[in-house]
Amino acid sequence: MHIFYHPDYDIPVPDTHRFVGSKFSDLFHYLQVQPFANQLEVHQPTPASTERLQRAHASYYINKVTQDQLSPMDLRQINLPWSKRLRQRSFLAIEGTYMTAKQALQSGIACHVGGGTHHAHRDHGLGFCVFNDLAYTAKNLIAEGHVEKVLILDLDVHQGDGTIDICQDDPQIFTCSIHSESNFPFEKKQGWMDIGLPAGTKDETYLDILSQTLQSIGRSLTPDLVLFDAGIDVYLEDGLGNLELSIEGIRKRDRLVLEYYRGKNIPVATVIGGGYSKDTQELAHRHGLIFESAIHYL
Ligand SMILES: [Zn+2]
């Protein structure tokens, strides 16, 4: 299975910060010692170009990022300490999702050891997200003629408001989000399909709703590609999310999605999305679930 990763993905943040800056390398190293490690073929992304970034983001915002000229307000919204590494990795990680998706078009499934920066809007960053990899990927694949219709299936506990901001007027991109109604962002946007769940929603209810949602999508849309944000902040002990899925529930969630689209021969590219815990090994284990499931369905 093809996976995409760059050793510069980690973000320098203080230990007291909610965001675990080492989670990308933690996950990569975790994957290297799993029984399926020898089935993984690792690829490294190159940085995104400004020209292609403009398909998803406003030029003046890209310029501010490129020139380290984000305002205090911009930085407050992103809520990560600014650094040269954060700037550079922002260009790498969106291209990583793009390359993952392009690979999925060839091999059916591919997984990104990163991605899911779904709060980044067209002209500003937000909530730990500088650029929006999902919108960037969908916009570029469509512009280059690789696909006609993309489904962005966002199962992170938070609504992908930035993805909706960038993609809502695009007739070829379909966003579906299942999220906690009472988690960030507190003002939800209206995408193609949005399902807000009450805090405390557990496995059985969640999986029922997901299953119905996949059926409902299937009645009106056959996408050429699914970008699957497999955020694990739906976990019951997550540091930010207030839904209550178990590890087994997350595994079933991922397998429901993969089985459904693999059954229809529709390619799926996965991104890791959000996940918050001070126990870095636990976090790597939770983010590793999607890779284990993806191999299962490859
Ligand atoms: Zn999240």
Side-chain angles (χ1 to χ4, degrees), residues 193-220:
M193 196 180 286
D194 289 282
I195 294 150
L197 301 174
T201 300
K202 295 178 175 55
D203 292 355
E204 201 181 332
T205 309
Y206 184 98
L207 294 167
D208 274 352
I209 290 171
L210 172 60
S211 179
Q212 289 165 24
T213 305
L214 294 176
Q215 302 294 333
S216 163
I217 293 171
R219 284 192 284 273
S220 56

Side-chain angles (χ1 to χ4, degrees), residues 70-88:
L70 292 166
S71 68
M73 171 68 173
D74 288 327
L75 293 172
R76 257 200 312 280
Q77 287 188 304
I78 291 171
N79 196 15
L80 289 171
W82 194 248
S83 58
K84 182 180 168 196
R85 167 65 80 84
L86 177 56
R87 164 165 46 79
Q88 290 174 336

Side-chain angles (χ1 to χ4, degrees), residues 160-198:
D161 53 345
T163 313
I164 295 170
D165 176 65
I166 298 170
C167 301
Q168 64 188 351
D169 296 327
D170 193 318
Q172 293 174 273
I173 304 175
F174 303 81
T175 60
C176 172
S177 174
I178 302 179
H179 50 263
S180 162
E181 193 57 38
S182 54
N183 268 130
F184 180 88
F186 302 109
E187 262 185 52
K188 304 290 187 283
K189 283 201 161 63
Q190 186 59 54
W192 181 62
M193 196 180 286
D194 289 282
I195 294 150
L197 301 174

